[in-house]
Amino acid sequence: MGQYAERFDDRAEIRWMPYLMYFHPVDHRSAVVNTDGLGFRLAQGPGATASAGSQVPGGPVNLVAGSSTVFGIGASSDANTLASRLWDLYGADRPWLNFGGRSHNSTQELLLFTLYRHLVPQIDRIVLFSGFNDLGLARLPRWMQGDDGAFFNCREYYEQLDELRIKQRRAAGLSRRHARRVLERTAEDLAVPDLDEQIGAAVERTTRHLENWRLLADGLGARLTFVLQPLAPWVREKPAPEEELIFAELDEIADFGQAYGDIARLEVGRRYAAELSAGCQKLGVPFVDMNPLLGRATGPADWLFVDRIHFTDHGHDVVARLLRSHLED
């Protein structure tokens, strides 16, 4: 995890980009995580390595898209990410590429594919392994939500824009007091949406973007599946012994329950999954809720998570095997 924190978690190291807002460092090399010249993480299959921004295998490829869980935070090497494990399970002639973007919401996941799809012109299958970030970000105050929802680091982004507006208004001759009116927000702006609003907003945004994924996939002749990613408390109520120790230590740094509140409860995860499933059904997109599948496939002592959202190597392997068995060939 220290290797990830060094370049992928340090806000001073964020690689700011047009349209996407941010993406991974390029050409990063370490024993744990490696990226190509565009920032995509390398996938390793039987005797081969590939990524969208380096060498794309000839013939059709498969993509697993999403945010940091797909990128593989927590994996001890590139070979242990979901894309790599799926490539190994499907065989050398059915490669999988990693289209995960750390801290991306559903808007950014769609944009990433739209901006770089031309690099992988032959696509057989797309697995969108996502869902949590839109719900977690829906807990931010209303003034940060905009038309497409909040994104990570958006507070800093909007505050910098506010300061720029103040500077421009001052240059236009306004007093400091009048120039700073741009910062004034109402009580409604500052309010946090309630749980019903959070779930409704996350479902609406996710399925709205998923419809565009479906249209793109249909145009490419690719098969699309939406998988609701696991969250530790959505998988099982009592974590494994190692997870319990890690979660307690992490909560001393930043209390997960305080940050995410009700959405971390198992029953909320099931409700969210049911509403996403209904949305996927309307769109004709196959839906898989990985949370109960993972809970049934593992025992109470299985150490699956390095934190409540990212997997150990064992967790990546179990999830990849479950995906392999629940995806239509």
Side-chain angles (χ1 to χ4, degrees):
M1 294 300 288
Q3 290 289 317
Y4 291 103
E6 179 183 350
R7 290 295 305 281
F8 298 87
D9 194 32
D10 185 347
R11 291 194 176 189
E13 294 289 339
I14 289 176
R15 179 180 163 224
W16 296 102
M17 295 182 64
Y19 312 114
L20 281 176
M21 297 303 300
Y22 42 80
F23 200 45
H24 317 124
V26 301
D27 292 322
H28 179 75
R29 294 290 177 266
S30 76
V32 173
V33 52
N34 298 274
T35 62
D36 64 23
L38 294 174
F40 288 94
R41 187 166 189 174
L42 305 184
Q44 291 186 7
T49 299
S51 69
S54 60
Q55 183 174 355
V56 177
V61 300
N62 305 294
L63 309 181
V64 55
S67 58
S68 57
T69 302
V70 170
F71 178 74
I73 300 293
S76 67
S77 70
D78 298 330
N80 289 294
T81 63
L82 288 177
S84 296
R85 294 300 303 122
L86 286 166
W87 189 355
D88 188 63
L89 291 169
Y90 272 81
D93 61 340
R94 300 177 69 181
W96 286 77
L97 301 184
N98 190 325
F99 254 72
R102 190 181 189 281
S103 297
H104 279 185
N105 60 19
S106 63
T107 306
Q108 292 163 302
E109 291 166 355
L110 177 61
L111 279 173
L112 182 68
F113 179 70
T114 304
L115 291 172
Y116 294 107
R117 180 215 55 79
H118 64 286
L119 300 176
V120 281
Q122 290 184 275
I123 302 173
D124 179 40
R125 180 188 293 283
I126 302 168
V127 172
L128 185 55
F129 192 92
S130 183
F132 177 73
N133 282 355
D134 275 19
L135 183 57
L137 290 164
R139 287 180 52 77
L140 292 176
R142 289 190 175 91
W143 72 270
M144 299 183 193
Q145 297 297 332
D147 293 336
D148 289 293
F151 53 90
F152 288 101
N153 304 315
C154 67
R155 179 184 294 274
E156 292 92 333
Y157 172 80
Y158 290 130
E159 287 175 348
Q160 290 295 316
L161 287 182
D162 285 345
E163 292 301 321
L164 179 60
R165 290 191 187 100
I166 291 169
K167 182 179 179 180
Q168 291 170 336
R169 290 181 179 193
R170 290 282 287 156
L174 291 180
S175 68
R176 182 176 297 276
R177 181 170 62 86
H178 284 87
R180 292 192 70 82
R181 282 184 178 175
V182 69
L183 301 178
E184 295 176 2
R185 295 188 171 92
T186 67
E188 184 178 355
D189 293 333
L190 298 172
V192 174
D194 63 25
L195 180 62
D196 289 343
E197 291 178 280
Q198 292 168 31
I199 293 175
V203 170
E204 189 278 327
R205 288 166 188 147
T206 301
T207 53
R208 172 157 49 93
H209 296 135
L210 185 59
E211 183 174 15
N212 289 323
W213 276 101
R214 180 181 61 81
L215 292 169
L216 289 167
D218 288 349
L220 294 167
R223 295 172 290 174
L224 173 66
T225 301
F226 182 87
V227 180
L228 177 58
Q229 65 189 108
L231 183 71
W234 291 352
V235 172
R236 52 192 176 189
E237 294 185 352
K238 182 174 176 55
E242 295 89 348
E243 294 170 357
E244 196 165 20
L245 291 170
I246 291 172
F247 297 168
E249 184 174 339
L250 291 173
D251 284 345
E252 292 180 2
I253 303 170
D255 191 317
F256 185 89
Q258 182 178 5
Y260 291 105
D262 290 343
I263 67 172
R265 301 201 317 265
L266 188 145
E267 60 268 24
V268 174
R270 295 295 185 267
R271 174 184 166 189
Y272 184 45
E275 295 194 23
L276 284 174
S277 177
C280 287
Q281 187 174 9
K282 289 180 182 178
L283 294 173
V285 175
F287 172 83
V288 177
D289 182 2
M290 185 56 63
N291 292 278
L293 294 178
L294 187 56
R296 290 193 295 267
T298 55
D302 278 307
W303 181 8
L304 303 172
F305 292 92
V306 297
D307 54 32
R308 289 178 176 88
I309 195 69
H310 303 117
F311 302 129
T312 62
D313 288 352
H314 176 57
H316 280 105
D317 184 65
V318 174
V319 170
R321 292 179 185 276
L322 288 170
L323 279 173
R324 178 69 178 90
S325 64
H326 283 83
L327 294 176
E328 298 176 0
D329 280 327

